[in-house]
Amino acid sequence: MSAAAPAPPTGESGLDPDRSHHSEHGDADGHGEHAHVHDPHSPHGHAHHFESWRQQFDAGKLGMWLFLAQEVLFFSGLFCLYAVYRSLHPEVWEYADRFLSVPHGAFNTAVLLFSSLTMAWGVRCAMLGQRIGLTGCIAATLFCAALFLGVKSFEYTEKAHLHILWAGATEEPVMGGTRYDTPLVDVTDQVAEAEASSLTFAERESAALEATDVTLGKISVGCAIVALVLMVGAGLCWKLKANGWMVGLAAGVLCAIGMLVGAEGSMLLAHEMHGDHAGGEHHDGEAHDGHVETAHEMLEAESDVEIPPDGIGQFFSIYYVMTGLHAVHILAGMVVLTWLMIRAYRGDFTPDYFGPVDFVGLYWHLVDLVWIYLFPLLYLIG
Amino acid sequence: MPFIPPLADYGDGLLFRTQASTFAENSDSLFWMITWISVVFFIIVVGAMGWFMWKYRHRPVETFAPKTPSHNLPLELTWTVIPTLLVIVIFGFGFTGYLDQRTPPADAYEVRVIAKKWNFTFVYPDAGFTDSKLYIPVGRPVRLRMVSSDVLHSFWVPAFRSKWDIVPGRDSIIWFECTEPGEYLYQCTEYCGKDHSNMIKEGGVVAVPLDEFEDKLREIKTVKIQELEDDPLGGGEALFKDAGCAACHSVDGAKNACPTWEGLWGTTKKFTDGTSAIADDAYIRESILQPDAKIAEGFRNNMPSYKGQLEELQIMALTTYIRSLSEEGRAENVERDVPPVGGEPEAEDDSGADG
Amino acid sequence: MAVETPTDYAAGEAAPSPERAAVPAGPPGYAEDNYLNHTKGLMSWLVTLDHKRIGMMYLVGVMSAFLLGGIFALLVRAELWTPGETIVTAETYNRFFTLHGAIMVFLFIIPSVPAALGNFVLPVMLGAKDVAFPRMNLASFYLWCGGAIFFLITLFRGSLDTGWTFYVPYSTSTETAVVTALTGVFILGFSSIFTGLNFIVTVHTMRPPGMEWFKMPLFLWAIYATSIIQVLATPVLAVTLLLLAVERTTGIGVFDPAYGGDPVLFQHFFWFYSHPAVYIMILPGFGIISELISTFSRKHIFGYRFIAYSSIAIALFGFLVWGHHMFTSGMSTVAAFVFSLLTFSVSIPSAIKVFNWLATMYKGNIWLATPMCYALSFIFLFTIGGLTGLHLGALATDIHLHDSYFVVSHFHYVMVGGSLVAFLGGLFYWWPKMTGKMYNDFWGKISALIVFLAFNLTFFPQFILGTKGMPRRYYNYVPEFQFWHQVSTVGAFMLGGGLLVAAVVLVHSLLRGKKAPANPWGAATLEWQCSSPPPHNNFDHPPTVGDPYALNRVVYDPDTRSYRQIDEFSNGGTPQQTAKV
């Protein structure tokens, strides 16, 4: 859905300066060609039904803003859900928040903020007619998006190994007759096993981390292979002078490498945290005064033995739905960015015609903005 | 007041059932007030429309209508302000009536209601029995504390002009005070699946004068126990329907959401955890009170517990009924000297309550 | 071009004299190149970007959906002929009413006026060559088709029995194809968003010189207000249905009480969209009626600004009243207070419109052509529908009437008596413009009369059933209701017959109809300035924009059998004089 919208506003008909708008032969869609009303001052023909290029740009921009309004309302439903359940079960939110890794979230926030910068820079490059600068900026944005997804994939994988999943996957329904089918993922036994086992949470966490390492290792290898294959393909396309394909494949390489770096990087970060965590406790104790240490220890002890409050599954349901839908938007954005990168490299955009760059930029900023809200709401305020 | 002539007719009127609660008069008066306002507006609008249609009917173009003003602010404001004032009045009456209905008095007599697909069960905690009929005293507020064990339901007594949704996972409260002794219809008004339209009971609400109410409850309880003792088979069969077993279990071998009862007793049941056991009285009792203890192979854990809803005597009656559905069970019934359906001849006319 | 149509007047060009205009020269406009014969072949339709063709394809689409939904309606009514089983079992009956509701709401009423008629009319009325984003327009149509296909799949994969409202937890526990249907509605939602977005941008950016906001015909105001709702409310439905689908497949526990979710929260989410959706259905109808009443009373619309503002007011208030669907669901007293008060506030703009229409008719020259018959029938039926809304908005009476046949009847008076009748009025009004053919006016009026009478016969008894205590969605009922049910069923089949007559009239016109002049009704809005059917490009030059309701400037021209516009600049004489030339 998201990918479709930024595309139509301006469409292709205004792109090729050399395409004839006065051709007499019938167009297949019976629409594109008309032998009248052209703005002779327009360097690129605008779509036939607009009176001027300016009108076309304004229409596209308004359309994009409306689309963004629509997106905001789409997410607002989720934020309402968040607000309702948070106010209903504050204790769950206080408890569950500790399973989300702030450093990873913070890193992702930084990555997305940076990608917003590169995107804005790209729009400026487009306005100034800097083709290579624009392509580079879009490439950087794309790489950041992939990096973000890489980190996210680590977080999801680790939680899956810890059996921290949505309500239906971790809890028995309390009421018969309101489920039509068993949940998609039934890990009830595993959860029971984990609960019954004598392992502390920290031990389970490190076990999960190892399992995550294995899973992500496979994903990384896959990413690397994909990146290599795409790179070879891009080289071939370069030889064949199929520039569009080449840039498309290069974008794929960027994505694969971004994913790999994101996943492996967050793995490293997690190991780092985990190691520090175990060793640093005594260290902390020496550094701070007694009161703080006690509170800290209590919290530590609590997280190992505390019985989770009821409804913790709901927190993670909402976590998965919100971040999942956000990730879907990132993915859609990546598709559009790839398309944009190909066109940018081809030199479609000029200081007079850069609507699509601007519109995709707006979309990208919105996706960032949503994350700017998600990060504190889910990771920080417990 | 000019707008209430239809109220003079206290019988089953053209539009409403006989009023039988303290809310009914209020609700109906408001209804008629709105209706008469509506009729006046309707006559103004449609009358004007009809008159214009005739008076200004099509004439040749040459006699074109003279130019008339295309707006008139005072007129526009008039027909904005007058309806606004009217609807504010209607809103006020509506809201006060609603407040009444939503604030149960503290001394109300409480009955619990369990709604499930597709029946209502009324639990009388004081009297200690359950029934598919709602017995209420006349002239004393009654509060229903309603829960649903599956999907949304809604409890409506049209004669009381009273209705409330029953939301699973919540306690839903409704109250009313009946004014006339008699039997009234209740029904479910929130769509709940296949037999939604059978969640209706004519005479399902029995209003008894206040001074006879206690006696009535005692009497019903005695009758119920007597019935079950005299006729466990018939009582069990009635319970099969009234307690909601029939929604999921069949007695003819049909495979529903839960195992059929045909030929159940005495056979060896396999469970999802791999164990198995003979379906005897103890197993059936456990399945009723603790349905998730053993789950029959090929089925899901989707039965609610009946703990606290069924008396021991009722469980016994149900067990007797289940026994009567299999060969071994029938033999057992004969051995235990269970009376045939209908019980002893003298209890015959009371048997099969609500059948 | 020698065609004598007003489109020939270029902006600023010297106005033709009345003499010249009176003498028809050359072949009539329809022989010229128009959007129907501009290109040929199936593909030229399937990949067209022309808003008129997309509108026509939408029209065919929504009419087939209407047929399907109508068949289900008749099956429902036939089943209710007797208590208990008449033709089908309870389970099948539940599927019937669910599919009737879902198909009618999502596939028919919501896209009917905006996407079918609006697509055709809006750009022409506005004086634009097309909507702002033709590709998105076509995409919207194909999304509609995608949604329709998912509905068809639903039909064959266990059907759907949740009611069109998908209330949780029934929708998470039933075994029918809920997820397929949800996918269909989700896709249809985006179709609707795209249409709305397109129209807003079109109205904002594509107005030709001279088309100021307050020179826009009221139909455009109505569509504009509708589009705002479509863009802002539909995404909430999309996310709600997405959550419901995830809830059903994985159990995320936000709506399903089995995992601690709240079913009432689902209702809030659902009605946050679906109440504004009611205005998506009725607002365009108001717009059509404003056009029809003015044109066929041959008089300037009364209170233009009040009608225009009331459309916007309805759109905005419409977002704040969703709670009135849930007065008995267990909301707090404060919430009930607010929602009830706001509900009454939204009734005022509708009342204003009705009074303005009446004032427009006052001292008019009322021509009872088929579209006007539908418009008058709309006023009658919508007044009943609107006034019975008061009973439901008042909290104390709503408790008794909620979820009863009173509600069923009320919303059918608004949705069928309102939206559908307005849609038919609009269809009969713009039919000559869309197809270039005139239909038989006499039989058109007969169809309007049958629809009007049969509709009342079908739904008026349901008010009585409702107050008496007949709950909606009931398969079985107590025997005392049988009389009224049978009356209603007879009415429903007559209604079906009336609609069939209307269909025959229209189809017959395609085959045997006389060729339509450019302006058969004498309307002053821009779409009547181009030929019938309009040329491919709508306007070769930006049209002359004037007051859309200056009907005294439109006079009948017996030579072309069409109305034509006296030019604003000529001021040569009074309308009477010009008409006699």
Side-chain angles (χ1 to χ4, degrees):
Chain A
M1 291 297 126
S2 318
T10 48
E12 268 80 25
S13 49
L15 304 179
D16 280 338
D18 52 349
R19 187 195 284 180
S20 168
H21 291 272
H22 298 266
S23 59
E24 296 302 307
H25 63 82
D27 196 83
D29 60 19
H31 201 264
E33 326 292 328
H34 295 288
H36 70 95
V37 194
H38 278 278
D39 186 354
H41 307 297
S42 168
H44 300 285
H46 47 78
H48 85 283
H49 56 287
F50 290 110
E51 291 303 322
S52 68
W53 185 86
R54 183 77 217 168
Q55 193 187 22
Q56 176 169 351
F57 180 81
D58 287 347
K61 191 120 182 172
L62 180 63
M64 198 61 217
W65 276 109
L66 285 169
F67 181 77
L68 296 187
Q70 180 277 126
E71 286 286 306
V72 167
L73 276 146
F74 185 86
F75 277 104
S76 74
L78 299 173
F79 283 108
C80 281
L81 209 62
Y82 174 94
V84 167
Y85 281 102
R86 193 186 167 94
S87 63
L88 284 177
H89 306 289
E91 76 287 353
V92 171
W93 297 75
E94 268 164 36
Y95 175 84
D97 166 68
R98 72 193 57 177
F99 297 107
L100 300 180
S101 160
V102 176
H104 287 95
F107 176 74
N108 257 351
T109 312
V111 165
L112 276 193
L113 280 176
F114 181 72
S115 78
S116 253
L117 172 71
T118 56
M119 193 68 230
W121 203 328
V123 175
R124 187 176 155 72
C125 286
M127 284 172 170
L128 297 175
Q130 299 165 345
R131 185 174 69 104
I132 297 303
L134 172 61
T135 317
C137 281
I138 297 173
T141 314
L142 199 56
F143 183 76
C144 286
L147 207 59
F148 176 89
L149 288 185
V151 176
K152 212 77 218 132
S153 66
F154 161 77
E155 291 188 271
Y156 284 166
T157 317
E158 194 203 14
K159 277 181 194 60
H161 283 298
L162 269 172
H163 311 309
I164 297 175
L165 293 167
W166 55 92
T170 52
E171 289 165 17
E172 284 289 338
V174 291
M175 214 178 282
T178 67
R179 296 299 310 171
Y180 93 105
D181 210 352
T182 44
L184 204 63
V185 182
D186 193 1
V187 291
T188 320
D189 297 341
Q190 296 170 343
V191 174
E193 197 179 293
E195 273 168 8
S197 71
S198 54
L199 293 176
T200 64
F201 182 76
E203 284 166 327
R204 281 201 284 138
E205 202 174 16
S206 56
L209 207 55
E210 274 165 37
T212 312
D213 218 348
V214 175
T215 318
L216 281 188
K218 289 175 193 160
I219 293 177
S220 298
V221 172
C223 281
I225 293 171
V226 169
L228 271 175
V229 170
L230 291 180
M231 217 183 283
V232 172
L236 268 177
C237 289
W238 182 65
K239 277 275 180 209
L240 294 171
K241 303 242 182 307
N243 281 348
W245 283 98
M246 187 197 77
V247 179
L249 293 176
V253 174
L254 275 176
C255 293
I257 296 179
M259 285 280 289
L260 191 152
V261 172
E264 288 301 315
S266 41
M267 204 60 232
L268 282 178
L269 184 61
H271 278 301
E272 191 74 11
M273 280 163 57
H274 208 67
D276 278 355
H277 201 61
E281 214 162 295
H282 308 286
H283 191 73
D284 273 358
E286 286 159 12
H288 300 292
D289 64 359
H291 178 72
V292 172
E293 190 206 8
T294 326
H296 185 68
E297 276 184 344
M298 271 172 66
L299 192 70
E300 283 302 312
E302 214 180 23
S303 72
D304 286 344
V305 297
E306 192 187 356
I307 297 160
D310 275 347
I312 191 161
Q314 274 176 350
F315 173 87
F316 286 103
S317 295
I318 290 171
Y319 165 80
Y320 279 111
V321 168
M322 289 181 100
T323 56
L325 277 176
H326 177 257
V328 168
H329 279 80
I330 295 266
L331 269 176
M334 286 166 75
V335 173
V336 183
L337 281 170
T338 306
W339 167 79
L340 204 62
M341 194 166 138
I342 295 171
R343 290 189 59 187
Y345 185 78
R346 216 163 60 188
D348 282 357
F349 303 120
T350 66
D352 289 321
Y353 175 74
F354 59 88
V357 185
D358 202 17
F359 307 150
V360 174
L362 285 175
Y363 170 78
W364 194 253
H365 295 319
L366 178 89
V367 174
D368 289 356
L369 189 68
V370 171
W371 180 258
I372 300 297
Y373 281 100
L374 285 181
F375 174 59
L377 285 180
L378 291 168
Y379 288 73
L380 292 183
I381 49 174
Chain B
M1 280 186 285
F3 55 76
I4 52 166
L7 292 188
D9 171 20
Y10 234 68
D12 237 16
L14 172 70
L15 286 188
F16 287 105
R17 287 173 189 279
T18 312
Q19 300 176 343
S21 82
T22 47
F23 305 138
E25 186 169 353
N26 201 338
S27 171
D28 290 1
S29 313
L30 182 62
F31 182 92
W32 286 112
M33 183 181 104
I34 301 172
T35 305
W36 286 120
I37 292 176
S38 300
V39 166
V40 169
F41 270 87
F42 182 75
I43 289 171
I44 291 174
V45 168
V46 173
M49 188 177 90
W51 182 47
F52 294 162
M53 266 166 73
W54 182 79
K55 172 111 197 219
Y56 306 116
R57 64 191 177 279
H58 194 43
R59 301 169 309 279
V61 177
E62 279 74 12
T63 59
F64 199 83
K67 201 171 161 64
T68 47
S70 66
H71 63 92
N72 181 333
L73 193 63
L75 191 60
E76 298 269 1
L77 288 179
T78 312
W79 65 45
T80 308
V81 171
I82 291 178
T84 308
L85 294 177
L86 279 174
V87 296
I88 288 175
V89 172
I90 296 174
F91 162 77
F93 279 119
F95 184 65
T96 48
Y98 179 83
L99 271 187
D100 279 354
Q101 296 216 19
R102 297 314 307 153
T103 359
D107 64 332
Y109 177 77
E110 181 165 300
V111 179
R112 291 180 187 229
V113 183
I114 297 156
K116 62 167 87 72
K117 290 182 205 167
W118 287 276
N119 60 29
F120 291 101
T121 308
F122 301 92
V123 183
Y124 300 84
D126 302 346
F129 70 91
T130 65
D131 201 301
S132 64
K133 280 189 181 181
L134 174 63
Y135 296 96
I136 52 167
V138 173
R140 183 179 166 191
V142 175
R143 178 174 61 222
L144 304 184
R145 186 177 290 277
M146 308 184 288
V147 293
S148 162
S149 56
D150 38 45
V151 298
L152 292 168
H153 298 282
S154 185
F155 184 74
W156 185 20
V157 185
F160 297 171
R161 316 286 189 265
S162 195
K163 171 190 294 143
W164 203 249
D165 285 8
I166 307 169
V167 181
R170 288 187 178 187
D171 270 11
S172 308
I173 310 279
I174 187 177
W175 82 279
F176 40 76
E177 185 180 325
C178 184
T179 50
E180 293 286 317
E183 296 197 338
Y184 307 100
L185 172 148
Y186 72 70
Q187 55 196 346
C188 171
T189 53
E190 187 64 68
Y191 173 65
C192 55
K194 184 174 70 122
D195 284 339
H196 169 51
S197 65
N198 290 345
M199 272 181 89
I200 178 171
K201 207 171 189 76
E202 291 221 59
V205 181
V206 183
V208 191
L210 187 53
D211 46 351
E212 298 166 23
F213 184 63
E214 295 287 317
D215 296 337
K216 179 78 181 173
L217 287 189
R218 255 196 302 279
E219 181 195 323
I220 296 161
K221 189 175 183 186
T222 323
V223 168
K224 276 187 166 300
I225 289 171
Q226 193 62 45
E227 266 172 21
L228 283 179
E229 275 176 356
D230 292 346
D231 178 18
L233 258 184
E237 193 173 353
L239 272 172
F240 168 69
K241 294 184 194 110
D242 288 350
C245 317
C248 303
H249 295 278
S250 74
V251 290
D252 56 1
K255 193 180 169 189
N256 289 352
C258 298
T260 179
W261 287 358
E262 193 191 30
L264 170 72
W265 199 88
T267 54
T268 307
K269 292 293 288 182
K270 287 207 176 83
F271 303 114
T272 46
D273 58 1
T275 60
S276 61
I278 291 174
D280 54 7
D281 287 7
Y283 164 72
I284 284 162
R285 182 171 183 280
E286 183 191 55
S287 297
I288 291 172
L289 297 178
Q290 233 185 313
D292 53 352
K294 298 193 178 80
I295 296 153
E297 204 171 63
F299 293 92
R300 290 196 298 273
N301 174 24
N302 50 13
M303 176 169 160
S305 167
Y306 278 76
K307 204 169 198 160
Q309 291 182 37
L310 291 181
E311 303 270 312
E312 280 302 323
L313 211 59
Q314 291 173 308
I315 296 173
M316 270 171 55
L318 265 178
T319 316
T320 316
Y321 176 61
I322 292 171
R323 276 204 301 264
S324 75
L325 297 168
S326 74
E327 280 303 323
E328 296 90 334
R330 277 192 283 275
E332 179 78 14
N333 273 353
V334 171
E335 204 165 296
R336 294 196 197 179
D337 214 11
V338 173
V341 182
E344 303 299 322
E346 63 267 23
E348 197 164 20
D349 46 358
D350 285 336
S351 67
D354 315 322
Chain C
M1 281 211 307
V3 189
E4 196 48 66
T5 57
T7 33
D8 282 347
Y9 313 160
E13 197 182 297
S17 66
E19 289 76 30
R20 189 194 145 209
V23 181
Y30 42 76
E32 281 296 308
D33 174 57
N34 63 45
Y35 83 100
L36 291 169
N37 62 17
H38 183 70
T39 48
K40 295 211 159 50
L42 183 64
M43 279 314 282
S44 77
W45 278 83
L46 293 182
V47 297
T48 183
L49 296 179
D50 184 351
H51 69 96
K52 298 183 286 300
R53 288 192 169 191
I54 296 174
M56 288 303 270
M57 292 198 290
Y58 252 123
L59 186 65
V60 173
V62 297
M63 290 320 274
S64 9
F66 179 57
L67 180 67
L68 191 60
I71 289 171
F72 282 120
L74 290 182
L75 287 171
V76 165
R77 281 314 322 168
E79 168 52 43
L80 291 170
W81 184 256
T82 59
E85 183 169 332
T86 310
I87 53 169
V88 292
T89 62
E91 276 163 310
T92 319
Y93 171 82
N94 292 345
R95 284 160 171 74
F96 282 174
F97 76 69
T98 301
L99 289 165
H100 163 65
I103 289 175
M104 285 299 197
V105 169
F106 295 115
L107 282 172
F108 173 64
I109 308 184
I110 288 179
S112 65
V113 181
L117 293 181
N119 238 325
F120 190 96
V121 174
L122 178 131
V124 200
M125 226 179 191
L126 196 65
K129 293 200 193 76
D130 206 322
V131 292
F133 310 127
R135 280 182 184 75
M136 192 194 260
N137 202 13
L138 185 65
S140 150
F141 173 69
Y142 282 115
L143 283 175
W144 183 90
C145 292
I149 287 170
F150 270 95
F151 266 92
L152 288 179
I153 298 175
T154 308
L155 279 179
F156 295 107
R157 286 193 57 218
S159 197
L160 182 70
D161 72 341
T162 58
W164 77 276
T165 48
F166 297 109
Y167 268 16
V168 181
Y170 188 73
S171 55
T172 57
S173 62
T174 177
E175 307 210 336
T176 50
V178 178
V179 174
T180 321
L182 289 177
T183 316
V185 180
F186 186 85
I187 294 173
L188 288 172
F190 278 91
S191 160
S192 177
I193 291 175
F194 283 1
T195 304
L197 195 156
N198 221 334
F199 287 176
I200 295 181
V201 175
T202 306
V203 169
H204 268 277
T205 61
M206 308 285 284
R207 279 174 290 131
M211 179 61 89
E212 292 149 23
W213 279 96
F214 286 103
K215 280 195 178 160
M216 288 200 320
L218 289 165
F219 180 66
L220 296 188
W221 273 101
I223 291 278
Y224 180 75
T226 309
S227 301
I228 293 177
I229 309 176
Q230 282 178 304
V231 171
L232 296 184
T234 321
V236 179
L237 176 77
V239 78
T240 308
L241 298 185
L242 196 66
L243 286 170
L244 176 56
V246 177
E247 179 74 89
R248 186 175 155 90
T249 45
T250 68
I252 50 171
V254 293
F255 296 143
D256 188 349
Y259 294 116
D262 187 356
V264 177
L265 187 66
F266 173 82
Q267 297 178 21
H268 278 291
F269 271 50
F270 182 82
W271 289 113
F272 182 83
Y273 163 78
S274 292
H275 191 76
V278 170
Y279 298 108
I280 297 179
M281 304 180 212
I282 192 68
L283 267 178
F286 289 158
I288 292 177
I289 300 304
S290 302
E291 300 298 323
L292 296 187
I293 295 286
S294 168
T295 301
F296 290 97
S297 303
R298 312 244 17 92
K299 206 165 147 272
H300 193 287
I301 190 87
F302 189 88
Y304 173 89
R305 283 190 184 228
F306 267 78
I307 298 184
Y309 284 134
S310 68
S311 287
I312 303 294
I314 290 174
L316 298 180
F317 280 128
F319 275 99
L320 306 172
V321 300
W322 78 86
H324 68 217
H325 296 266
M326 303 160 55
F327 282 151
T328 67
S329 297
M331 61 166 66
S332 72
T333 316
V334 181
F337 178 92
V338 173
F339 281 126
S340 173
L341 192 60
L342 288 169
T343 300
F344 281 114
S345 74
V346 85
S347 68
I348 301 299
S350 315
I352 291 174
K353 280 177 192 281
V354 172
F355 291 129
N356 278 303
W357 292 329
L358 289 177
T360 306
M361 289 171 70
Y362 175 67
K363 286 195 175 175
N365 185 356
I366 298 168
W367 175 11
L368 287 176
T370 308
M372 186 60 168
C373 292
Y374 277 105
L376 295 174
S377 147
F378 172 96
I379 293 183
F380 185 99
L381 300 174
F382 178 75
T383 304
I384 297 182
L387 288 169
T388 49
L390 298 176
H391 298 87
L392 297 168
L395 287 161
T397 41
D398 179 68
I399 288 190
H400 178 61
L401 299 173
H402 180 82
D403 264 351
S404 73
Y405 261 51
F406 194 89
V407 178
V408 175
S409 187
H410 159 73
F411 72 71
H412 278 92
Y413 264 89
V414 178
M415 295 290 101
V416 182
S419 305
L420 175 69
V421 166
F423 171 73
L424 289 174
L427 190 62
F428 275 99
Y429 180 59
W430 283 303
W431 187 260
K433 182 56 62 185
M434 298 168 102
T435 62
K437 297 293 171 88
M438 292 303 288
Y439 49 82
N440 184 320
D441 194 47
F442 175 76
W443 282 101
K445 281 183 214 168
I446 296 286
S447 79
L449 187 69
I450 301 176
V451 167
F452 173 76
L453 293 176
F455 176 84
N456 281 304
L457 194 62
T458 312
F459 290 103
F460 204 83
Q462 297 189 2
F463 284 126
I464 300 166
L465 285 171
T467 51
K468 273 273 192 180
M470 172 78 203
R472 68 191 286 197
R473 295 173 173 176
Y474 256 34
Y475 165 76
N476 199 353
Y477 52 84
V478 291
E480 60 173 290
F481 293 149
Q482 192 173 4
F483 173 73
W484 291 119
H485 270 300
Q486 293 191 343
V487 171
S488 184
T489 301
V490 169
F493 278 89
M494 282 173 61
L495 183 56
L499 293 168
L500 202 63
V501 172
V504 168
V505 169
L506 292 179
V507 172
H508 178 263
S509 80
L510 286 180
L511 306 173
R512 296 282 159 80
K514 280 190 219 138
K515 290 181 173 169
N519 191 353
W521 313 120
T525 42
L526 290 184
E527 79 271 28
W528 304 105
Q529 286 192 22
C530 56
S531 53
S532 300
H536 170 67
N537 210 28
N538 299 351
F539 301 99
D540 289 334
H541 305 284
T544 321
V545 179
D547 184 339
Y549 299 104
L551 288 158
N552 52 352
R553 291 225 184 82
V554 183
V555 292
Y556 187 68
D557 182 349
D559 296 319
T560 53
R561 293 167 191 279
S562 173
Y563 284 80
R564 64 179 179 78
Q565 199 123 10
I566 316 166
D567 196 85
E568 312 185 36
F569 307 110
S570 67
N571 267 339
T574 65
Q576 289 91 330
Q577 287 168 335
T578 318
K580 280 172 190 159
V581 170

